[in-house]
Amino acid sequence: MKVIGLTGGIASGKSTVVSTILTLDIPVIDCDKLARLVVEPTHPAYKKLVNHFGTVILQNQQMGQPLDRYKFGTIIFPDAAQRRVANSIIHPAVRDEILKRLFKYWIKGTSLVVIDVPLLLEGELWRIVSDVIVVYCPPEMQLARIKSRDGLSEEDALSRINAQRPLIEKVDYADHVIYNTSDLESLKQSTLKVMAAVKPNPFWTVLAYFPPFTAILIAWVVGRRHFKGDPRKTKPKGKDSTTATASSSSGSNTPAHAS
């Protein structure tokens, strides 16, 4: 089973890319949903968060009540140390949920799975996937799209964009880039082109059902990423971002789609 990591940024068009992938009957693991799952009262990560931050992060400040996301955000976003603690609890819990789902797909005989991870790079998950796909659009188009889509002022839109890792930095980690610089149809065609490029060979898919070979494949994927190193740390100064494969949505630079 081949595992692909998909990431992008706010208003980059990643949602449309995911929708297109789903039309190919390729399963997508949505890590945003998993992040919400692991902070529910029944999940072990919930108790860890409460143990550290207290019941102040809960609705009505009562144990067993859902997380008060607004209150939680006011605590962790201004404070890098608190944010690191929250991430140290939430990220491992999300990774565990991802692995559970990957195992189920492997048992079912699924040949290709996509993990939709906004924090693919920050959470170090890029090290365990076969390929990284980044959905990219230029910053000025990203800004225009989020202002148009969400009705935000330029200041508010910029604050949301700047809260995330710059898309150009994510491109350095990519094996494939989907450039969302044109219309919706071009974005869909670019997505189909990249998905055709990452389609696994049926021969290797069959071999992956033999446990010794599966272990070898996993070791190869992790080892390849490890020895390649972090692109942002090994990249020579002044060198332009490059990727193995880049599919571009050609056409006008109209901010046509902002999902």
Side-chain angles (χ1 to χ4, degrees), residues 1-7 29 31 98-99 102 112-117 120-121 124-133 173-176 217-226 228:
M1 183 177 72
K2 190 172 187 179
V3 181
I4 304 297
L6 173 69
T7 193
I29 298 174
C31 288
I98 291 172
L99 293 174
L102 288 176
L112 179 63
V113 177
V114 174
I115 308 177
D116 176 9
V117 197
L120 179 72
L121 311 180
E124 296 291 307
L125 286 171
W126 65 275
R127 296 183 182 275
I128 64 170
V129 297
S130 297
D131 293 79
V132 172
I133 300 175
Y173 292 81
D175 299 289
H176 309 273
L217 282 177
I218 294 173
W220 179 80
V221 169
V222 176
R224 179 171 65 99
R225 295 289 184 191
H226 175 75
K228 185 177 179 180

Side-chain angles (χ1 to χ4, degrees), residues 90-110:
I90 295 172
H91 287 178
V94 170
R95 283 196 293 268
D96 288 345
E97 294 296 331
I98 291 172
L99 293 174
K100 290 177 185 176
R101 284 155 180 75
L102 288 176
F103 180 73
K104 290 179 180 178
Y105 282 124
W106 180 71
I107 292 296
K108 291 179 181 178
T110 308

Side-chain angles (χ1 to χ4, degrees), residues 246-258:
S247 287
S248 175
S249 300
S250 59
S252 66
N253 285 337
T254 304
H257 194 71

Side-chain angles (χ1 to χ4, degrees), residues 31-145:
C31 288
D32 275 339
K33 290 182 179 178
L34 295 185
R36 291 191 289 271
L37 171 69
V38 301
V39 297
E40 289 182 356
T42 55
H43 199 282
Y46 171 92
K47 186 175 181 180
K48 293 179 181 179
L49 288 171
V50 175
N51 285 343
H52 178 79
F53 294 99
T55 56
V56 67
I57 64 171
L58 305 178
Q59 294 180 20
N60 300 319
Q61 298 188 22
Q62 292 182 359
M63 192 67 178
Q65 290 292 307
L67 188 72
D68 185 330
R69 296 182 181 279
Y70 175 77
K71 181 63 177 179
F72 188 46
T74 62
I75 294 173
I76 65 172
F77 287 126
D79 190 327
Q82 295 284 49
R83 191 162 61 248
R84 282 193 295 270
V85 172
N87 288 339
S88 71
I89 295 171
I90 295 172
H91 287 178
V94 170
R95 283 196 293 268
D96 288 345
E97 294 296 331
I98 291 172
L99 293 174
K100 290 177 185 176
R101 284 155 180 75
L102 288 176
F103 180 73
K104 290 179 180 178
Y105 282 124
W106 180 71
I107 292 296
K108 291 179 181 178
T110 308
S111 60
L112 179 63
V113 177
V114 174
I115 308 177
D116 176 9
V117 197
L119 299 179
L120 179 72
L121 311 180
E122 294 84 346
E124 296 291 307
L125 286 171
W126 65 275
R127 296 183 182 275
I128 64 170
V129 297
S130 297
D131 293 79
V132 172
I133 300 175
V134 172
V135 184
Y136 176 83
C137 70
E140 62 275 11
M141 294 184 68
Q142 191 180 17
L143 176 62
R145 285 168 175 164

Side-chain angles (χ1 to χ4, degrees), residues 163-179:
Q164 299 182 338
R165 192 169 192 162
L167 280 174
I168 194 62
E169 289 188 10
K170 295 186 177 185
V171 168
D172 287 321
Y173 292 81
D175 299 289
H176 309 273
V177 181
I178 298 174
Y179 290 99

